Amino acid sequence: MRNFNAFTLAREALRGHKGWGKQWRSPEPKKSYDVIIIGAGGHGLGTAYYLAKEHGITNVAVLEKGWLGGGNTGRNTTIIRSNYLYDESAGLYDHSVKLWETLSEELNYNVMFSQRGVMMLAHNVHDVQSAQRHIHANRLNGVDNEWLTPQQAKDYCPPLSISKSARYPVMGAALQRRGGVARHDAVAWGFARQASAMGVDIIQNCEVISIDRAPSGEVTGVQTTKGPIGAKKVGVVAAGHTSVLMEMAGVRMPLESYPLQALVSEPVKPVFPCVVMSNAVHAYISQSDKGELVIGAGTDSYLSYSQTGSMHILQHTLDAIIELYPMFSRMKMLRTWGGIVDVTPDRSPILAKTPVPNLYVNCGWGTGGFKATPGSANVFAHTIARDEPHKINAGFTLERFRTGRLIDEAAAAAVAH
Amino acid sequence: MLLIHCPYCEAERPELEFANAGEAHIVRPKDMSQMSDEDFEAMFFIRDNPKGINLERWRHVHGCGRFFNAIRSTVTDKFLKTYKAGEPRPSGDEIAELMK
Ligand SMILES: Cc1cc2nc3c(=O)[nH]c(=O)nc-3n(C[C@H](O)[C@H](O)[C@H](O)COP(=O)(O)OP(=O)(O)OC[C@H]3O[C@@H](n4cnc5c(N)ncnc54)[C@H](O)[C@@H]3O)c2cc1C
Ligand SMILES: [Zn+2]
């Protein structure tokens, strides 16, 4: 693997960029591995990277039914923040934001992490109280978050309408300055490149169709479209398809899979300096470096694996966008798409051991797991390597739905990205 | 947007008139306080979430207001059938017949 630096970039610029070569290997699967990760999204690739880097476990395969990064990792609106209400969540998401801050250097790959600030609007008294409660809770946990008046919100984001005659007038906002966006593909590619260089086999177009277990119960490997592959440990990191995979090992999950959509506009000059979210009217927006407005919509109300979503969901979001930013009313939308998100009852992820020995699961990120990619991967690698959770993910168990020890961000936020 | 047949109104209506109400045929116990934690978890939190045929509840909120059940594919999003609340859970054979 060639490092990216000023010298190699200059040299390749002079040679027409012909000398770069493949960024990761595409090997055939070996007979068996110490660890198999199912799913080459950011969380799965990151897990393989940290297994190799921090735990010295390099005999690892990441199996992907499609192409690397083609799941939700490549379909999301890339909002990154850590201002969640509960202590467990603040710990996990802020661990992630801290890793984001140095990830480009760590991976020698520009993940384009841009801390342009994430502002969450309040449109009614309930929103204001909830935002202020979050701000106080966040501060106690050492997570930055501050209250802005409507005028301060407009100063931070000039396209925002704070007109009192708006249908849902802006009554203030919570701003996390360390929040922002990153380049989604680059995160998958950066982790893949480094993991591959340390010996991890990334095997694309390889769907897991069943999970093998010994008579005594523990997992021994998987059956795939490329044949059987043995494994001492298996980690399921398959987002919307987690229930399907866990069923193969006989574990029923507290998950439901829904389509979630996003869309981008035609590219325009820089007009939108930050990320703005509004839970009440359900619209969130930022501008990509290419100039497109990146707009997140909501989930459909029914289970689906179809990776599309309904038109009326998009329309509802655009209604809200135009109300908040009247200047975008004549923008043309270029593309829309959907991803399948796995939602838990408390809207917090599950990052844990399972009732089946040697089987681990990282799921339930629902509509908001991109921001957690490095943090989740980091503590999940620890969980697999040591066969016990890191203290940061100790609360994110599967058993919490039995014991009642929920991490109820669902009640705290209604929606969360 | 889905077109949904309400078995009470006996009419096809746009999805906007309906609300999805989750997995069908989950029986609420008569005395929840007597349930074991395992049974409560299974009833309240664990879901089939199938990739394929799903049995689910819908409510015709902006119509007759009533709950009913549906058999729908989560791969194609197509409805195979809707039926009134209280009717028995369709058998595997019946679903296979509908899929022909
Ligand atoms: C439209 C949209 C907008 C979003 N916006 C945001 C946002 O702004 N901020 C945020 O933080 N989060 C957001 N999210 C959520 C975020 O995208 C996800 O939580 C996160 O990317 C999940 O990463 P992952 O690596 O776990 O899953 P994925 O990237 O989906 O990877 C899972 C992989 O598993 C593979 N797989 C599944 N089954 C099998 C099998 N049987 N065998 C082999 N491989 C299999 C899939 O093909 C897939 O590549 C959004 C999601 C969507 C859909
Ligand atoms: Zn009706």
PDB file of all heavy atoms in Angstrom, chain B residues 2 7 20 28 41-42 55 79 92 94 98:
ATOM      1  N   LEU B   2     -48.517   3.093  -0.810  1.00  0.00           N
ATOM      2  CA  LEU B   2     -49.254   1.839  -0.941  1.00  0.00           C
ATOM      3  C   LEU B   2     -50.744   2.108  -1.158  1.00  0.00           C
ATOM      4  O   LEU B   2     -51.270   3.132  -0.714  1.00  0.00           O
ATOM      5  CB  LEU B   2     -49.092   1.010   0.342  1.00  0.00           C
ATOM      6  CG  LEU B   2     -47.667   0.732   0.806  1.00  0.00           C
ATOM      7  CD1 LEU B   2     -47.676   0.006   2.147  1.00  0.00           C
ATOM      8  CD2 LEU B   2     -46.907  -0.071  -0.234  1.00  0.00           C
ATOM      9  N   PRO B   7     -60.803  -3.956   4.947  1.00  0.00           N
ATOM     10  CA  PRO B   7     -61.813  -5.020   4.899  1.00  0.00           C
ATOM     11  C   PRO B   7     -63.150  -4.594   5.507  1.00  0.00           C
ATOM     12  O   PRO B   7     -64.158  -5.277   5.307  1.00  0.00           O
ATOM     13  CB  PRO B   7     -61.177  -6.151   5.712  1.00  0.00           C
ATOM     14  CG  PRO B   7     -60.192  -5.488   6.600  1.00  0.00           C
ATOM     15  CD  PRO B   7     -59.719  -4.254   5.887  1.00  0.00           C
ATOM     16  N   ASN B  20     -49.777   2.241  10.165  1.00  0.00           N
ATOM     17  CA  ASN B  20     -49.283   0.897  10.449  1.00  0.00           C
ATOM     18  C   ASN B  20     -49.216   0.720  11.958  1.00  0.00           C
ATOM     19  O   ASN B  20     -48.846   1.633  12.689  1.00  0.00           O
ATOM     20  CB  ASN B  20     -47.900   0.724   9.817  1.00  0.00           C
ATOM     21  CG  ASN B  20     -47.358  -0.681  10.013  1.00  0.00           C
ATOM     22  OD1 ASN B  20     -46.963  -1.047  11.116  1.00  0.00           O
ATOM     23  ND2 ASN B  20     -47.357  -1.475   8.959  1.00  0.00           N
ATOM     24  N   ARG B  28     -51.957 -10.021  23.909  1.00  0.00           N
ATOM     25  CA  ARG B  28     -51.667  -9.355  25.184  1.00  0.00           C
ATOM     26  C   ARG B  28     -52.172 -10.234  26.328  1.00  0.00           C
ATOM     27  O   ARG B  28     -53.305 -10.684  26.297  1.00  0.00           O
ATOM     28  CB  ARG B  28     -52.373  -8.001  25.252  1.00  0.00           C
ATOM     29  CG  ARG B  28     -51.628  -6.975  24.464  1.00  0.00           C
ATOM     30  CD  ARG B  28     -52.207  -5.597  24.691  1.00  0.00           C
ATOM     31  NE  ARG B  28     -51.213  -4.632  24.271  1.00  0.00           N
ATOM     32  CZ  ARG B  28     -50.519  -3.890  25.123  1.00  0.00           C
ATOM     33  NH1 ARG B  28     -50.733  -3.968  26.416  1.00  0.00           N
ATOM     34  NH2 ARG B  28     -49.621  -3.053  24.667  1.00  0.00           N
ATOM     35  N   GLU B  41     -40.558  -9.780  27.627  1.00  0.00           N
ATOM     36  CA  GLU B  41     -39.626  -9.364  26.573  1.00  0.00           C
ATOM     37  C   GLU B  41     -40.113  -9.867  25.206  1.00  0.00           C
ATOM     38  O   GLU B  41     -40.165  -9.121  24.232  1.00  0.00           O
ATOM     39  CB  GLU B  41     -38.228  -9.914  26.861  1.00  0.00           C
ATOM     40  CG  GLU B  41     -37.206  -9.520  25.804  1.00  0.00           C
ATOM     41  CD  GLU B  41     -35.918 -10.335  25.854  1.00  0.00           C
ATOM     42  OE1 GLU B  41     -35.948 -11.490  26.335  1.00  0.00           O
ATOM     43  OE2 GLU B  41     -34.889  -9.817  25.404  1.00  0.00           O
ATOM     44  N   ALA B  42     -40.490 -11.138  25.164  1.00  0.00           N
ATOM     45  CA  ALA B  42     -40.911 -11.731  23.893  1.00  0.00           C
ATOM     46  C   ALA B  42     -42.166 -11.039  23.353  1.00  0.00           C
ATOM     47  O   ALA B  42     -42.282 -10.788  22.156  1.00  0.00           O
ATOM     48  CB  ALA B  42     -41.165 -13.217  24.071  1.00  0.00           C
ATOM     49  N   LEU B  55     -47.043 -10.615   8.701  1.00  0.00           N
ATOM     50  CA  LEU B  55     -48.427 -10.421   9.154  1.00  0.00           C
ATOM     51  C   LEU B  55     -48.424  -9.175  10.023  1.00  0.00           C
ATOM     52  O   LEU B  55     -47.701  -9.109  11.019  1.00  0.00           O
ATOM     53  CB  LEU B  55     -48.908 -11.630   9.954  1.00  0.00           C
ATOM     54  CG  LEU B  55     -48.840 -12.974   9.214  1.00  0.00           C
ATOM     55  CD1 LEU B  55     -49.382 -14.097  10.085  1.00  0.00           C
ATOM     56  CD2 LEU B  55     -49.624 -12.905   7.910  1.00  0.00           C
ATOM     57  N   PHE B  79     -49.338  -6.214  -0.955  1.00  0.00           N
ATOM     58  CA  PHE B  79     -50.290  -6.886  -0.069  1.00  0.00           C
ATOM     59  C   PHE B  79     -50.792  -8.156  -0.743  1.00  0.00           C
ATOM     60  O   PHE B  79     -51.133  -8.142  -1.921  1.00  0.00           O
ATOM     61  CB  PHE B  79     -51.495  -5.980   0.205  1.00  0.00           C
ATOM     62  CG  PHE B  79     -51.196  -4.875   1.167  1.00  0.00           C
ATOM     63  CD1 PHE B  79     -50.717  -3.649   0.717  1.00  0.00           C
ATOM     64  CD2 PHE B  79     -51.392  -5.064   2.524  1.00  0.00           C
ATOM     65  CE1 PHE B  79     -50.429  -2.629   1.616  1.00  0.00           C
ATOM     66  CE2 PHE B  79     -51.112  -4.046   3.435  1.00  0.00           C
ATOM     67  CZ  PHE B  79     -50.627  -2.831   2.974  1.00  0.00           C
ATOM     68  N   GLY B  92     -49.841 -21.472   7.003  1.00  0.00           N
ATOM     69  CA  GLY B  92     -48.784 -21.481   5.993  1.00  0.00           C
ATOM     70  C   GLY B  92     -49.325 -21.860   4.625  1.00  0.00           C
ATOM     71  O   GLY B  92     -48.944 -21.265   3.609  1.00  0.00           O
ATOM     72  N   GLU B  94     -52.361 -21.456   3.481  1.00  0.00           N
ATOM     73  CA  GLU B  94     -53.177 -20.369   2.927  1.00  0.00           C
ATOM     74  C   GLU B  94     -52.278 -19.288   2.318  1.00  0.00           C
ATOM     75  O   GLU B  94     -52.553 -18.765   1.235  1.00  0.00           O
ATOM     76  CB  GLU B  94     -54.036 -19.770   4.048  1.00  0.00           C
ATOM     77  CG  GLU B  94     -55.148 -18.876   3.545  1.00  0.00           C
ATOM     78  CD  GLU B  94     -55.975 -18.306   4.704  1.00  0.00           C
ATOM     79  OE1 GLU B  94     -56.158 -19.025   5.713  1.00  0.00           O
ATOM     80  OE2 GLU B  94     -56.405 -17.160   4.593  1.00  0.00           O
ATOM     81  N   LEU B  98     -51.913 -17.986  -1.594  1.00  0.00           N
ATOM     82  CA  LEU B  98     -52.020 -16.582  -2.019  1.00  0.00           C
ATOM     83  C   LEU B  98     -50.814 -16.138  -2.841  1.00  0.00           C
ATOM     84  O   LEU B  98     -50.900 -15.249  -3.679  1.00  0.00           O
ATOM     85  CB  LEU B  98     -52.138 -15.667  -0.789  1.00  0.00           C
ATOM     86  CG  LEU B  98     -53.454 -15.697  -0.039  1.00  0.00           C
ATOM     87  CD1 LEU B  98     -53.309 -15.005   1.311  1.00  0.00           C
ATOM     88  CD2 LEU B  98     -54.544 -15.018  -0.861  1.00  0.00           C
TER      89      LEU B  98
END
